Amino acid sequence: MHTRTIPTLLLSAALTAGVLATTAAPAAAADTAATAEASFADQLRAIPGVTVTDVTDKDGYPLYSLTITQPIDHSKPELGTFGQRFSLWHKSVTKPVVFYTGGYGLSSATREPTTILDANQLSVEHRFFGPSRPADVDWSKMTVWQEASDEHAIVEAIRPLYDKSSKWLSTGGSKGGMTQTYHRRYYPEDVDAVIAYVAPNDANNHDDKGYERFFETVGTKECRDALNAVQRAMLERRDTLLPKFEVMAKEKGYTFTNTLGTTDRAYEFAVLDQVWNFWQSGTAADCPTVPDAETVSDDDLYTWSLGHGLSVYEDSSLGANGSGPYYRQAAAQLGWADLKFKHLKGVRHYPDIYQPNSVLPADMRTSYNGKAISDVDKWVRSDSERMMFVYGQNDPWSAEQFEPSSHDSYKYIVPGSNHGARISALPADQRDEAIATIKRWAGQ
């Protein structure tokens, strides 16, 4: 991203914020804005434990890249520290602050609530993802409470830079929505409200009826039957399709020895995830593309599957530097959908493979404890305040949802939407209602 000079950047920011009065001399106004921005930057740099690593321009406002020193264990700070990345898109100390996490690596992309409110945006990388980790990772310290405590520390560090009247709202999608919900549970005073998008809530990991019901009702019966038939054909034709999978793996340099173990296991895992991925990223409009499993050739079946949900799980993308930290969290606390796959009876080789430990290196595998997630679920239902949940009707991750309390909290289902559900896609009356609520929470 191109870095603009300070005077030009600050002049643009001042114009957008309405700082320049029509009777003010442009040079004097620019100097005033520059002084204010320099003061804000100096305050950022003066925060103990916070380092400004870069400043770039984003749409006429400074985007600060930062790190904060966090304890590896907030209950035992003597165990050492690590640097956690975050960013701050700063517009004005009087505007609302939207606090965002995607639940994975750092992303500073503008979020929907930020646009709705014309807000500042504070974005954080989840602990132990990317470079936000100690040299030697103790994965037992990657819990929902530890991450909530990381976010609490960031809020406490940054909040004093903004006016006391500025409202703070947190947001995130999918695992990010879960993360902000957990943050709200443990530190309910940190932000004024939460807008969580497509946030799964596996409150009881032993009960997957919600997921089973989803795959029995999503879309039309014709589409469901066609997808199930294709999935079964992928395993029935294993002898002819697995070699294609192995050739692709060799060409791309994929290995499976550290996680799934063999290409056969990796192939079956990919097939089991195929229908889930179809609905997660696609829509009912993709249903006419599903081939006839009885007549389609091996080549066409495999090619169609690659473009519609057959995701390859391989060592380099699953370890500590890939999606491994997510699967570790799923195995430890977040839970997973242990689907029965009744339509695949007799063609599966590995009946217990569909769980997160299967795709983790041995040193990251763990046992499940759902106490924290169950506690959050109960708290959201009964005691939480000012929380909004947005789900997609045809999104498998939305099959098990948070249920908001009656305390100024709401839930919306976007018709026909997948894992990319947004408030802007709601029916007009619901969209306007949700936006009005967000603006009210933000004091606008």
Side-chain angles (χ1 to χ4, degrees):
M1 186 177 293
H2 178 62
T3 303
R4 296 168 61 182
T5 60
I6 291 283
T8 306
L9 168 66
L10 296 170
L11 178 58
S12 176
L15 284 165
T16 305
V19 172
L20 300 182
T22 55
T23 57
D31 289 343
T32 300
T35 300
E37 186 53 46
S39 175
F40 185 88
D42 289 343
Q43 291 178 66
L44 262 182
R45 293 184 171 90
I47 299 173
V50 171
T51 301
V52 178
T53 60
D54 194 19
V55 187
T56 58
D57 167 62
K58 180 178 178 179
D59 297 339
Y61 296 101
L63 175 65
Y64 296 95
S65 298
L66 309 109
T67 61
I68 183 170
T69 301
Q70 298 278 21
I72 293 171
D73 186 338
H74 285 272
S75 65
K76 297 179 180 179
E78 67 274 10
L79 294 181
T81 62
F82 70 98
Q84 185 175 28
R85 296 195 304 172
F86 69 108
S87 66
L88 177 60
W89 187 29
H90 173 67
K91 297 179 179 178
S92 168
V93 295
T94 61
K95 289 181 178 290
V97 177
V98 169
F99 187 21
Y100 165 74
T101 177
Y104 300 89
L106 179 63
S107 170
S108 300
T110 305
R111 314 318 301 180
E112 188 174 51
T114 306
T115 300
I116 290 171
L117 299 172
D118 187 25
N120 306 287
Q121 182 174 302
L122 180 65
S123 306
V124 64
E125 183 166 68
H126 196 289
R127 69 162 36 212
F128 299 1
F129 281 80
S132 294
R133 64 176 61 165
D136 296 315
V137 180
D138 179 353
W139 295 106
S140 70
K141 306 303 181 185
M142 189 176 60
T143 67
V144 296
W145 176 79
Q146 294 283 4
E147 171 61 18
S149 299
D150 291 340
E151 296 191 9
H152 175 64
I154 292 172
V155 171
E156 287 203 318
I158 302 300
R159 183 185 284 277
L161 276 60
Y162 288 88
D163 286 2
K164 292 183 178 180
S165 61
S166 295
K167 299 294 186 180
W168 283 55
L169 293 83
S170 63
T171 192
S174 190
K175 183 170 173 287
M178 299 161 74
T179 302
Q180 292 294 19
T181 301
Y182 305 147
H183 178 195
R184 182 72 160 163
R185 166 65 181 102
Y186 293 115
Y187 298 98
E189 303 303 319
D190 273 1
V191 298
D192 297 284
V194 175
I195 305 104
Y197 293 81
V198 293
N201 178 34
D202 204 340
N204 181 354
N205 195 44
H206 302 293
D207 181 0
D208 291 313
K209 290 193 296 290
Y211 292 114
E212 297 288 357
R213 190 181 309 113
F214 172 86
F215 287 106
E216 291 169 358
T217 58
V218 64
T220 65
K221 184 178 186 303
E222 291 75 15
C223 188
R224 295 193 300 271
D225 289 347
L227 285 168
N228 286 347
V230 161
Q231 194 175 31
R232 184 175 179 88
M234 290 289 289
L235 295 180
E236 287 178 330
R237 304 189 196 183
R238 191 190 302 248
D239 288 347
T240 55
L241 297 183
L242 179 60
K244 298 179 184 296
F245 183 84
E246 290 173 333
V247 168
M248 179 188 66
K250 184 176 181 179
E251 290 176 347
K252 294 183 177 294
Y254 293 156
T255 63
F256 311 98
T257 53
N258 294 331
T259 53
L260 282 156
T262 67
T263 53
D264 192 49
R265 285 171 59 85
Y267 176 78
E268 181 162 314
F269 196 97
V271 172
L272 293 181
D273 236 15
Q274 186 172 346
V275 176
W276 183 295
N277 291 337
F278 176 92
W279 289 111
Q280 173 182 322
S281 303
T283 69
D286 298 308
C287 287
T289 72
V290 182
D292 183 337
E294 293 186 3
T295 60
V296 66
S297 69
D298 289 343
D299 285 342
D300 288 345
L301 175 61
Y302 187 72
T303 299
W304 182 88
S305 295
L306 282 176
H308 296 84
L310 190 74
S311 297
V312 181
Y313 298 80
E314 49 87 27
D315 290 343
S316 67
S317 63
L318 290 170
N321 296 319
S323 56
Y326 160 69
Y327 288 107
R328 163 73 194 207
Q329 282 193 283
Q333 289 187 301
L334 305 185
W336 62 93
D338 188 10
L339 302 176
K340 293 182 173 62
F341 298 107
K342 294 179 181 178
H343 63 288
L344 301 180
K345 185 177 180 180
V347 294
R348 294 177 63 183
H349 289 179
Y350 313 102
D352 299 323
I353 199 174
Y354 200 65
Q355 49 96 15
N357 276 326
S358 295
V359 294
L360 284 171
D363 62 345
M364 293 181 70
R365 295 169 192 162
T366 189
S367 57
Y368 177 77
N369 186 324
K371 290 182 179 179
I373 306 306
S374 177
D375 168 75
V376 173
D377 171 67
K378 293 175 183 176
W379 179 82
V380 169
R381 291 171 183 268
S382 60
D383 298 327
S384 65
E385 296 179 338
R386 295 181 301 282
M387 298 194 73
M388 181 181 294
F389 297 95
V390 180
Y391 289 103
Q393 179 189 13
N394 291 345
D395 170 31
W397 292 106
S398 296
E400 293 193 351
Q401 306 173 359
F402 284 101
E403 294 297 333
S405 75
S406 59
H407 310 305
D408 196 11
S409 296
Y410 311 90
K411 183 172 73 173
Y412 294 96
I413 311 295
V414 182
S417 188
N418 57 20
H419 204 47
R422 293 292 179 266
I423 290 171
S424 58
L426 284 167
D429 58 337
Q430 296 182 35
R431 180 197 64 211
D432 295 346
E433 178 184 84
I435 290 174
T437 297
I438 292 170
K439 288 186 174 183
R440 172 170 59 82
W441 284 342
Q444 294 184 347

